Amino acid sequence: QVHLVESGGGLVQPGGSLKLSCEAFGTINSIITMGWYRQAPEKPPELVAQITSDQSTNYADSVKGRFIISRDDAKNIVYLQMNSLKPEDTARYYCHLFSGFDHWGQGTQVTVSS
């Protein structure tokens, strides 16, 4: 059983920064990818950023240059540093881990508003 615990969401003004964290607990044989998805109200979920076991990264075009994903394999933690936040970044952010099976966190709310 794999359990993902997210933290770091909240309310921030446009132009501000937040850092999300996601720690994986449980028996994990091999983490292939870790990443973040988000879903805003009345919109489909979208991949925000993803990082592979060899540290390769992939970002949504809308966040390139503003968000940075990183992972600490010793601690099974993935981070998402979000800079220059915009109101359109407002969404619930979900941590995802793929180990041959998909695992999801409960999500953490990010609200960008003045």
Side-chain angles (χ1 to χ4, degrees), residues 1-5 22-28 97 103-106:
Q1 186 79 12
V2 176
H3 186 51
L4 302 179
V5 179
C22 171
E23 186 170 4
F25 296 91
T27 302
I28 307 169
L97 183 155
H103 303 282
W104 295 93
Q106 293 297 307

Side-chain angles (χ1 to χ4, degrees), residues 13-25:
Q13 292 186 342
S17 298
L18 282 175
K19 186 173 184 177
L20 305 183
S21 300
C22 171
E23 186 170 4
F25 296 91

Side-chain angles (χ1 to χ4, degrees), residues 36-38 46-50 58-60 63 67 80 93:
W36 294 89
Y37 287 72
R38 68 186 180 187
E46 65 169 339
L47 173 66
V48 177
Q50 190 176 62
N58 179 38
Y59 295 93
V63 307
F67 291 10
L80 185 68
Y93 285 69

Side-chain angles (χ1 to χ4, degrees), residues 47-92:
L47 173 66
V48 177
Q50 190 176 62
I51 185 166
T52 66
S53 56
D54 63 358
Q55 303 292 321
S56 296
T57 58
N58 179 38
Y59 295 93
D61 288 342
S62 59
V63 307
K64 283 181 181 175
R66 299 188 297 123
F67 291 10
I68 300 171
I69 190 170
S70 61
R71 59 191 275 179
D72 183 337
D73 287 338
K75 299 179 179 179
N76 288 339
I77 297 177
V78 63
Y79 303 98
L80 185 68
Q81 177 66 47
M82 305 186 293
N83 302 317
S84 301
L85 282 161
K86 304 175 181 180
E88 50 263 44
D89 294 316
T90 296
R92 191 163 185 84

Side-chain angles (χ1 to χ4, degrees), residues 95-107:
C95 179
H96 174 254
L97 183 155
F98 181 67
S99 61
F101 299 94
D102 289 302
H103 303 282
W104 295 93
Q106 293 297 307

